[in-house]
Amino acid sequence: MSELKNDRFLRALLKEPVDVTPVWMMRQAGRYLPEYKATRAKAGSFMNLCMNPELACEVTIQPLERYPLDAAILFSDILTIPDAMGLQLRFAEGEGPIFDKPVRTAADVDALPVPDPEDSLKYVMDAVRTIRRELDGRVPLIGFSGSPWTLATYMVEGGTSKDFAKVKGMMFDRPDLMHKLLDTTAQSVISYLNAQVAAGAQALMIFDTWGGSLTPRDYKEFSLRYMQQIVAGLTREADGRKVPVILFTKGGGQWLEDMAATGCDGLGLDWTTDIGEARKRVGDKVALQGNMDPSVLYASPERIQKEVAAIMESYGKGSGHVFNLGHGIHQHVNPEHAGAFIEAVHKLSAPYHR
Ligand code: CP3
Protein backbone atom coordinates (compact mmCIF):
# COMPACT_ATOMS: atom_id res chain seq x y z
CA MET A 1 0.00 0.00 0.00
CA SER A 2 1.31 3.44 -0.86
CA GLU A 3 2.22 5.99 1.80
CA LEU A 4 -0.50 8.48 2.86
CA LYS A 5 0.24 11.84 1.22
CA ASN A 6 -2.34 13.82 3.21
CA ASP A 7 -2.97 12.59 6.75
CA ARG A 8 -4.34 15.76 8.38
CA PHE A 9 -7.78 14.16 8.84
CA LEU A 10 -6.26 11.27 10.88
CA ARG A 11 -3.94 13.64 12.75
CA ALA A 12 -6.79 15.98 13.75
CA LEU A 13 -8.85 13.06 15.08
CA LEU A 14 -5.90 12.10 17.29
CA LYS A 15 -5.36 15.77 18.24
CA GLU A 16 -1.90 15.83 16.67
CA PRO A 17 -0.69 19.13 15.11
CA VAL A 18 -1.91 19.98 11.60
CA ASP A 19 -1.11 22.80 9.12
CA VAL A 20 -4.76 23.63 8.38
CA THR A 21 -8.10 22.22 9.57
CA PRO A 22 -9.07 19.12 7.55
CA VAL A 23 -12.49 19.07 5.89
CA TRP A 24 -14.86 16.58 4.26
CA MET A 25 -18.65 16.55 3.79
CA MET A 26 -21.16 13.92 4.83
CA ARG A 27 -22.82 12.60 1.63
CA GLN A 28 -20.04 14.21 -0.42
CA ALA A 29 -20.68 11.66 -3.17
CA GLY A 30 -24.29 12.34 -3.99
CA ARG A 31 -27.01 13.85 -6.10
CA TYR A 32 -25.82 17.49 -5.93
CA LEU A 33 -23.02 16.40 -8.32
CA PRO A 34 -24.01 15.96 -12.00
CA GLU A 35 -21.23 13.38 -12.44
CA TYR A 36 -22.80 11.33 -9.61
CA LYS A 37 -26.16 11.40 -11.34
CA ALA A 38 -24.53 10.26 -14.59
CA THR A 39 -22.82 7.26 -12.92
CA ARG A 40 -25.99 6.38 -11.02
CA ALA A 41 -27.94 6.42 -14.31
CA LYS A 42 -25.32 4.08 -15.81
CA ALA A 43 -25.73 1.75 -12.79
CA GLY A 44 -29.54 1.78 -13.18
CA SER A 45 -30.33 2.07 -9.47
CA PHE A 46 -28.79 3.16 -6.18
CA MET A 47 -28.32 -0.45 -4.98
CA ASN A 48 -26.68 -1.47 -8.26
CA LEU A 49 -24.28 1.41 -7.74
CA CYS A 50 -23.47 0.19 -4.20
CA MET A 51 -23.04 -3.41 -5.40
CA ASN A 52 -20.67 -2.61 -8.27
CA PRO A 53 -17.17 -2.01 -6.77
CA GLU A 54 -15.83 -0.18 -9.85
CA LEU A 55 -18.79 2.23 -10.00
CA ALA A 56 -18.87 2.66 -6.19
CA CYS A 57 -15.17 3.56 -6.42
CA GLU A 58 -15.85 6.00 -9.26
CA VAL A 59 -18.45 7.96 -7.27
CA THR A 60 -16.35 7.86 -4.08
CA ILE A 61 -13.53 9.63 -5.94
CA GLN A 62 -15.69 12.13 -7.89
CA PRO A 63 -15.83 14.78 -5.13
CA LEU A 64 -12.05 14.46 -4.64
CA GLU A 65 -11.49 15.31 -8.30
CA ARG A 66 -13.47 18.53 -7.84
CA TYR A 67 -12.38 19.67 -4.38
CA PRO A 68 -9.26 19.48 -2.16
CA LEU A 69 -11.06 17.29 0.42
CA ASP A 70 -9.01 15.71 3.20
CA ALA A 71 -10.86 12.37 3.38
CA ALA A 72 -12.82 9.98 1.19
CA ILE A 73 -15.83 8.05 2.50
CA LEU A 74 -16.76 4.62 1.20
CA PHE A 75 -19.76 4.88 -1.10
CA SER A 76 -22.35 2.52 0.28
CA ASP A 77 -25.31 2.70 2.65
CA ILE A 78 -26.02 1.92 6.29
CA LEU A 79 -28.82 -0.47 5.26
CA THR A 80 -26.48 -3.06 3.70
CA ILE A 81 -26.34 -5.04 7.00
CA PRO A 82 -30.09 -5.60 7.39
CA ASP A 83 -30.25 -6.44 3.67
CA ALA A 84 -27.55 -9.09 4.24
CA MET A 85 -29.62 -10.37 7.20
CA GLY A 86 -32.36 -11.21 4.68
CA LEU A 87 -34.72 -8.23 5.04
CA GLN A 88 -34.69 -7.53 1.29
CA LEU A 89 -33.83 -3.86 0.82
CA ARG A 90 -35.05 -1.84 -2.12
CA PHE A 91 -35.24 1.86 -2.88
CA ALA A 92 -38.56 2.86 -4.38
CA GLU A 93 -38.27 6.03 -6.49
CA GLY A 94 -39.27 9.02 -4.35
CA GLU A 95 -40.11 6.87 -1.30
CA GLY A 96 -36.74 6.11 0.22
CA PRO A 97 -35.65 2.70 1.53
CA ILE A 98 -38.10 -0.18 1.97
CA PHE A 99 -37.60 -3.61 3.57
CA ASP A 100 -39.94 -6.21 2.16
CA LYS A 101 -39.32 -8.46 5.19
CA PRO A 102 -39.36 -6.20 8.27
CA VAL A 103 -38.68 -7.53 11.78
CA ARG A 104 -41.90 -7.57 13.80
CA THR A 105 -42.14 -10.74 15.93
CA ALA A 106 -40.03 -12.73 18.38
CA ALA A 107 -39.57 -15.34 15.65
CA ASP A 108 -38.31 -12.62 13.26
CA VAL A 109 -35.76 -11.46 15.85
CA ASP A 110 -34.63 -15.02 16.66
CA ALA A 111 -34.08 -15.73 12.96
CA LEU A 112 -31.69 -12.80 12.40
CA PRO A 113 -28.19 -13.99 11.48
CA VAL A 114 -24.88 -12.19 12.00
CA PRO A 115 -23.81 -11.87 8.34
CA ASP A 116 -20.33 -12.94 7.26
CA PRO A 117 -18.89 -9.72 5.76
CA GLU A 118 -16.75 -11.58 3.23
CA ASP A 119 -19.81 -13.49 2.02
CA SER A 120 -23.11 -11.57 1.73
CA LEU A 121 -21.34 -8.20 2.16
CA LYS A 122 -18.32 -9.03 0.01
CA TYR A 123 -19.39 -6.34 -2.49
CA VAL A 124 -18.74 -3.71 0.21
CA MET A 125 -15.31 -5.14 1.05
CA ASP A 126 -14.48 -5.28 -2.67
CA ALA A 127 -15.46 -1.61 -2.95
CA VAL A 128 -13.15 -0.75 0.00
CA ARG A 129 -10.24 -2.64 -1.63
CA THR A 130 -10.87 -1.02 -5.02
CA ILE A 131 -11.13 2.49 -3.54
CA ARG A 132 -7.93 2.08 -1.49
CA ARG A 133 -6.08 0.99 -4.62
CA GLU A 134 -7.43 3.89 -6.71
CA LEU A 135 -6.88 6.50 -3.98
CA ASP A 136 -3.20 5.54 -4.03
CA GLY A 137 -2.59 7.30 -0.69
CA ARG A 138 -4.14 10.65 -1.68
CA VAL A 139 -6.28 10.89 1.46
CA PRO A 140 -7.49 8.40 4.09
CA LEU A 141 -10.59 6.29 3.46
CA ILE A 142 -13.42 6.34 6.02
CA GLY A 143 -15.47 3.19 6.49
CA PHE A 144 -18.86 3.39 8.19
CA SER A 145 -21.94 1.70 9.55
CA GLY A 146 -25.25 2.68 11.10
CA SER A 147 -25.70 2.39 14.87
CA PRO A 148 -27.76 -0.59 16.08
CA TRP A 149 -30.62 1.68 17.18
CA THR A 150 -30.72 3.55 13.86
CA LEU A 151 -30.62 0.27 11.92
CA ALA A 152 -33.37 -1.13 14.18
CA THR A 153 -35.66 1.78 13.29
CA TYR A 154 -35.50 0.81 9.60
CA MET A 155 -35.61 -2.94 10.31
CA VAL A 156 -38.75 -2.77 12.46
CA GLU A 157 -40.56 0.04 10.65
CA GLY A 158 -39.72 -1.44 7.23
CA GLY A 159 -38.53 1.96 6.00
CA THR A 160 -38.27 5.61 6.99
CA SER A 161 -40.64 6.67 9.78
CA LYS A 162 -41.85 9.92 11.28
CA ASP A 163 -43.10 8.73 14.67
CA PHE A 164 -41.23 5.39 15.12
CA ALA A 165 -44.52 3.79 16.17
CA LYS A 166 -43.52 0.18 15.60
CA VAL A 167 -39.91 0.31 16.76
CA LYS A 168 -40.79 2.25 19.91
CA GLY A 169 -43.77 -0.05 20.45
CA MET A 170 -41.34 -2.98 20.54
CA MET A 171 -38.89 -1.05 22.73
CA PHE A 172 -41.50 -0.17 25.37
CA ASP A 173 -43.55 -3.39 25.36
CA ARG A 174 -40.86 -5.98 24.63
CA PRO A 175 -37.53 -4.51 25.78
CA ASP A 176 -36.15 -8.08 25.92
CA LEU A 177 -36.84 -8.52 22.20
CA MET A 178 -35.45 -5.10 21.37
CA HIS A 179 -32.25 -5.87 23.28
CA LYS A 180 -31.85 -9.15 21.42
CA LEU A 181 -32.32 -7.38 18.08
CA LEU A 182 -29.82 -4.67 19.06
CA ASP A 183 -27.28 -7.19 20.33
CA THR A 184 -27.38 -9.24 17.10
CA THR A 185 -27.08 -6.02 15.12
CA ALA A 186 -24.16 -4.76 17.25
CA GLN A 187 -22.33 -8.06 16.68
CA SER A 188 -22.97 -7.69 12.95
CA VAL A 189 -21.69 -4.10 12.96
CA ILE A 190 -18.48 -5.12 14.77
CA SER A 191 -17.65 -7.84 12.27
CA TYR A 192 -18.64 -5.59 9.32
CA LEU A 193 -16.48 -2.66 10.47
CA ASN A 194 -13.51 -4.88 11.34
CA ALA A 195 -13.75 -6.42 7.86
CA GLN A 196 -13.74 -2.89 6.37
CA VAL A 197 -10.53 -2.15 8.32
CA ALA A 198 -8.98 -5.43 7.11
CA ALA A 199 -9.97 -4.43 3.56
CA GLY A 200 -8.33 -0.99 3.93
CA ALA A 201 -10.58 1.49 5.79
CA GLN A 202 -8.35 3.90 7.78
CA ALA A 203 -10.99 5.51 10.03
CA LEU A 204 -14.53 4.52 11.03
CA MET A 205 -17.72 6.45 11.59
CA ILE A 206 -20.94 5.24 13.20
CA PHE A 207 -24.09 7.07 12.05
CA ASP A 208 -26.71 7.21 14.80
CA THR A 209 -29.17 9.27 12.80
CA TRP A 210 -32.15 8.53 15.05
CA GLY A 211 -30.63 8.33 18.56
CA GLY A 212 -31.91 11.87 19.13
CA SER A 213 -35.50 10.61 18.99
CA LEU A 214 -35.06 8.88 22.37
CA THR A 215 -35.42 10.07 25.97
CA PRO A 216 -32.08 10.43 27.81
CA ARG A 217 -32.77 7.17 29.69
CA ASP A 218 -33.71 5.27 26.56
CA TYR A 219 -30.78 6.75 24.61
CA LYS A 220 -28.34 5.29 27.13
CA GLU A 221 -30.09 1.92 27.31
CA PHE A 222 -30.98 1.36 23.64
CA SER A 223 -28.49 3.36 21.59
CA LEU A 224 -25.34 4.44 23.43
CA ARG A 225 -24.84 1.09 25.18
CA TYR A 226 -24.60 -0.71 21.83
CA MET A 227 -22.27 1.90 20.31
CA GLN A 228 -20.09 1.38 23.38
CA GLN A 229 -20.15 -2.40 22.74
CA ILE A 230 -19.07 -1.71 19.16
CA VAL A 231 -16.24 0.67 20.08
CA ALA A 232 -14.93 -1.97 22.53
CA GLY A 233 -14.96 -4.63 19.79
CA LEU A 234 -13.26 -2.70 16.99
CA THR A 235 -9.79 -3.14 15.53
CA ARG A 236 -8.11 0.12 16.54
CA GLU A 237 -4.85 -0.19 14.63
CA ALA A 238 -3.89 -1.22 11.09
CA ASP A 239 -0.58 -1.03 9.19
CA GLY A 240 1.06 0.51 12.27
CA ARG A 241 -1.43 3.41 12.48
CA LYS A 242 -4.35 4.09 14.76
CA VAL A 243 -7.78 3.69 13.18
CA PRO A 244 -9.84 6.50 14.75
CA VAL A 245 -13.54 5.96 15.46
CA ILE A 246 -16.13 8.76 15.22
CA LEU A 247 -19.60 8.54 16.82
CA PHE A 248 -22.34 10.76 15.43
CA THR A 249 -25.73 10.94 17.13
CA LYS A 250 -27.89 13.46 15.32
CA GLY A 251 -29.68 15.50 17.96
CA GLY A 252 -27.33 14.07 20.60
CA GLY A 253 -25.76 17.34 21.75
CA GLN A 254 -26.87 16.87 25.35
CA TRP A 255 -25.05 13.51 25.65
CA LEU A 256 -21.55 14.43 24.45
CA GLU A 257 -19.87 13.58 27.78
CA ASP A 258 -21.46 10.11 27.78
CA MET A 259 -20.53 9.56 24.14
CA ALA A 260 -16.92 10.64 24.79
CA ALA A 261 -16.74 8.11 27.65
CA THR A 262 -17.21 5.19 25.21
CA GLY A 263 -13.54 5.40 24.25
CA CYS A 264 -14.15 6.71 20.73
CA ASP A 265 -11.71 9.23 19.20
CA GLY A 266 -14.10 11.79 17.75
CA LEU A 267 -17.69 13.00 18.04
CA GLY A 268 -19.75 14.25 15.13
CA LEU A 269 -21.84 17.33 15.97
CA ASP A 270 -24.94 18.56 14.23
CA TRP A 271 -25.50 22.32 13.98
CA THR A 272 -27.73 22.62 17.05
CA THR A 273 -24.69 22.48 19.37
CA ASP A 274 -22.11 25.27 19.63
CA ILE A 275 -18.75 23.66 18.86
CA GLY A 276 -16.81 25.87 21.31
CA GLU A 277 -19.18 24.89 24.15
CA ALA A 278 -18.85 21.25 23.11
CA ARG A 279 -15.06 21.53 23.24
CA LYS A 280 -15.22 22.90 26.80
CA ARG A 281 -17.45 20.00 27.83
CA VAL A 282 -15.41 17.13 26.38
CA GLY A 283 -12.00 18.69 27.05
CA ASP A 284 -9.06 16.69 25.72
CA LYS A 285 -10.98 13.46 25.60
CA VAL A 286 -12.09 13.46 21.96
CA ALA A 287 -11.81 15.40 18.71
CA LEU A 288 -14.90 17.11 17.27
CA GLN A 289 -16.28 16.89 13.74
CA GLY A 290 -18.73 19.36 12.28
CA ASN A 291 -20.84 21.34 12.33
CA MET A 292 -22.06 23.86 9.74
CA ASP A 293 -25.80 23.80 9.03
CA PRO A 294 -25.94 22.20 5.54
CA SER A 295 -28.52 24.82 4.51
CA VAL A 296 -25.85 27.53 4.71
CA LEU A 297 -24.63 26.12 1.37
CA TYR A 298 -27.76 27.61 -0.23
CA ALA A 299 -26.46 31.09 0.69
CA SER A 300 -23.81 33.11 -1.18
CA PRO A 301 -20.10 32.16 -1.06
CA GLU A 302 -19.51 35.31 1.05
CA ARG A 303 -22.08 34.19 3.63
CA ILE A 304 -20.62 30.66 3.61
CA GLN A 305 -17.16 32.08 4.39
CA LYS A 306 -18.57 34.07 7.31
CA GLU A 307 -20.21 30.98 8.76
CA VAL A 308 -16.97 28.97 8.40
CA ALA A 309 -15.07 31.79 10.15
CA ALA A 310 -17.57 31.87 13.04
CA ILE A 311 -17.38 28.10 13.64
CA MET A 312 -13.60 28.22 13.53
CA GLU A 313 -13.48 31.11 16.00
CA SER A 314 -15.81 29.20 18.29
CA TYR A 315 -13.62 26.08 18.22
CA GLY A 316 -10.49 28.17 18.73
CA LYS A 317 -6.80 27.39 18.38
CA GLY A 318 -5.17 24.01 18.08
CA SER A 319 -5.83 20.58 16.61
CA GLY A 320 -8.80 18.29 17.26
CA HIS A 321 -11.31 19.77 14.80
CA VAL A 322 -12.39 18.07 11.58
CA PHE A 323 -14.55 20.54 9.68
CA ASN A 324 -17.75 19.11 8.22
CA LEU A 325 -21.41 19.87 7.77
CA GLY A 326 -23.75 19.05 10.65
CA HIS A 327 -25.51 16.48 8.43
CA GLY A 328 -25.43 15.34 4.79
CA ILE A 329 -25.16 17.85 1.94
CA HIS A 330 -28.57 18.54 0.36
CA GLN A 331 -29.21 17.42 -3.19
CA HIS A 332 -30.12 20.88 -4.56
CA VAL A 333 -26.92 22.63 -3.44
CA ASN A 334 -24.83 24.35 -6.13
CA PRO A 335 -21.52 22.41 -6.39
CA GLU A 336 -19.63 25.73 -6.58
CA HIS A 337 -20.91 26.64 -3.14
CA ALA A 338 -19.54 23.37 -1.75
CA GLY A 339 -16.22 24.37 -3.32
CA ALA A 340 -16.35 27.78 -1.62
CA PHE A 341 -16.98 26.06 1.73
CA ILE A 342 -13.99 23.71 1.41
CA GLU A 343 -11.68 26.48 0.20
CA ALA A 344 -12.74 28.74 3.10
CA VAL A 345 -11.89 26.04 5.67
CA HIS A 346 -8.34 25.66 4.38
CA LYS A 347 -7.77 29.36 3.80
CA LEU A 348 -9.15 30.68 7.08
CA SER A 349 -7.80 27.98 9.40
CA ALA A 350 -4.01 28.40 9.04
CA PRO A 351 -3.75 31.09 11.79
CA TYR A 352 -5.43 28.73 14.27
CA HIS A 353 -2.59 26.23 13.86
CA ARG A 354 0.37 28.55 14.35
O1 CP3 B 1 -21.37 10.27 2.98
C1 CP3 B 1 -21.18 9.66 1.91
O2 CP3 B 1 -20.89 10.25 0.84
C2 CP3 B 1 -21.19 8.14 1.91
C3 CP3 B 1 -22.36 7.48 1.47
C4 CP3 B 1 -23.59 7.34 2.33
C5 CP3 B 1 -24.87 7.19 1.76
N1 CP3 B 1 -25.76 6.94 2.76
C6 CP3 B 1 -25.16 7.25 0.32
C7 CP3 B 1 -26.54 7.44 -0.11
C8 CP3 B 1 -23.74 7.25 3.72
C9 CP3 B 1 -22.70 7.41 4.80
C10 CP3 B 1 -25.12 6.99 3.97
C11 CP3 B 1 -25.68 6.77 5.31
C12 CP3 B 1 -27.14 6.63 5.50
N2 CP3 B 1 -28.05 5.95 4.72
C13 CP3 B 1 -27.85 7.10 6.62
C14 CP3 B 1 -27.23 7.84 7.78
C15 CP3 B 1 -26.98 9.20 7.27
C16 CP3 B 1 -26.89 10.32 8.18
O3 CP3 B 1 -26.36 11.32 7.63
O4 CP3 B 1 -27.30 10.36 9.34
C17 CP3 B 1 -29.21 6.77 6.45
C18 CP3 B 1 -30.34 7.13 7.40
C19 CP3 B 1 -29.31 6.01 5.26
C20 CP3 B 1 -30.54 5.37 4.68
C21 CP3 B 1 -30.86 6.00 3.40
N3 CP3 B 1 -30.15 5.78 2.23
C22 CP3 B 1 -31.85 6.98 3.13
C23 CP3 B 1 -32.86 7.52 4.14
C24 CP3 B 1 -31.69 7.35 1.78
C25 CP3 B 1 -32.44 8.43 1.03
C26 CP3 B 1 -33.45 7.93 0.07
C27 CP3 B 1 -33.82 9.03 -0.91
O5 CP3 B 1 -34.44 8.67 -1.90
O6 CP3 B 1 -33.50 10.22 -0.69
C28 CP3 B 1 -30.63 6.59 1.24
C29 CP3 B 1 -30.12 6.63 -0.13
C30 CP3 B 1 -28.75 7.18 -0.34
N4 CP3 B 1 -27.66 6.79 0.36
C31 CP3 B 1 -28.35 8.12 -1.35
C32 CP3 B 1 -26.96 8.27 -1.22
C33 CP3 B 1 -26.05 9.11 -2.06
C34 CP3 B 1 -29.25 8.76 -2.38
C35 CP3 B 1 -29.72 7.68 -3.29
C36 CP3 B 1 -29.75 7.99 -4.77
O7 CP3 B 1 -28.72 8.19 -5.42
O8 CP3 B 1 -30.87 7.94 -5.29
Side-chain angles (χ1 to χ4, degrees), residues 8-329:
R8 47 168 95 96
F9 167 75
L10 296 180
R11 295 181 63 85
L13 283 173
L14 301 173
K15 302 192 140 213
E16 296 166 5
V18 289
D19 55 345
V20 293
T21 303
V23 56
W24 69 281
M25 298 184 295
M26 287 189 265
R27 286 277 177 103
Q28 62 191 19
R31 288 172 290 195
Y32 73 106
L33 291 177
E35 57 270 34
Y36 170 83
K37 284 194 263 193
T39 308
R40 188 185 179 289
K42 195 160 69 177
S45 73
F46 172 68
M47 279 315 282
N48 282 351
L49 184 51
C50 291
M51 289 182 168
N52 181 319
E54 269 68 42
L55 294 182
C57 174
E58 186 176 304
V59 296
T60 298
I61 291 178
Q62 282 169 350
L64 296 154
E65 299 288 346
R66 261 189 195 254
Y67 315 116
L69 291 158
D70 297 300
I73 181 160
L74 162 69
F75 188 83
S76 189
D77 199 81
I78 62 166
L79 302 179
T80 51
I81 288 180
D83 183 56
M85 288 172 157
L87 274 60
Q88 297 187 2
L89 173 65
R90 63 192 167 86
F91 282 83
E93 214 55 59
E95 279 185 76
I98 292 171
F99 286 114
D100 286 325
K101 299 199 163 159
V103 178
R104 299 275 162 78
T105 65
D108 292 342
V109 172
D110 286 339
L112 288 174
V114 173
D116 174 353
E118 285 293 356
D119 181 16
S120 49
L121 291 159
K122 185 169 180 292
Y123 67 94
V124 179
M125 306 310 144
D126 287 340
V128 172
R129 288 183 275 263
T130 307
I131 297 162
R132 263 304 291 275
R133 193 182 64 228
E134 290 303 310
L135 277 175
D136 195 29
R138 254 204 274 186
V139 292
L141 175 62
I142 307 167
F144 71 89
S145 147
S147 73
W149 168 255
T150 290
L151 293 177
T153 67
Y154 291 95
M155 292 163 74
V156 177
E157 297 291 336
T160 304
S161 170
K162 283 202 167 71
D163 57 5
F164 303 107
K166 297 185 180 74
V167 70
K168 286 193 175 178
M170 185 189 287
M171 177 181 82
F172 290 127
D173 279 332
R174 290 295 309 270
D176 60 317
L177 259 196
M178 182 52 72
H179 279 303
K180 180 148 199 226
L181 194 173
L182 292 168
D183 182 65
T184 305
T185 306
Q187 289 179 43
S188 305
V189 168
I190 292 169
S191 98
Y192 183 61
L193 290 178
N194 284 340
Q196 289 185 33
V197 172
Q202 292 150 295
L204 296 171
M205 176 153 166
I206 299 170
F207 287 87
D208 184 29
T209 310
W210 301 119
S213 73
L214 294 167
T215 66
R217 247 180 309 116
D218 292 330
Y219 175 72
K220 280 165 205 154
E221 181 175 346
F222 294 96
S223 184
L224 186 65
R225 169 173 158 189
Y226 292 95
M227 293 200 283
Q228 157 106 61
Q229 184 179 326
I230 292 165
V231 172
L234 291 177
T235 309
R236 301 297 283 275
E237 204 179 298
D239 300 327
R241 261 193 110 124
K242 270 197 98 177
V243 179
V245 180
I246 305 165
L247 299 187
F248 172 57
T249 292
K250 184 160 183 285
Q254 62 177 321
W255 302 312
L256 299 180
E257 293 87 346
D258 302 299
M259 295 171 75
T262 59
C264 66
D265 302 283
L267 297 181
L269 301 179
D270 67 34
W271 61 93
T272 61
T273 299
D274 180 89
I275 196 165
E277 299 289 328
R279 187 181 189 183
K280 282 187 206 126
R281 285 166 54 198
V282 300
D284 277 336
K285 225 165 181 172
V286 289
L288 297 173
Q289 174 174 279
N291 66 341
M292 192 174 87
D293 181 344
S295 295
V296 174
L297 294 179
Y298 290 124
S300 63
E302 295 70 36
R303 184 64 185 83
I304 293 167
Q305 276 179 21
K306 268 195 192 157
E307 195 67 20
V308 167
I311 292 168
M312 231 165 240
E313 186 55 31
S314 173
Y315 184 82
K317 279 192 163 255
S319 186
H321 183 200
V322 172
F323 223 110
N324 204 314
L325 305 172
H327 204 210
I329 185 168

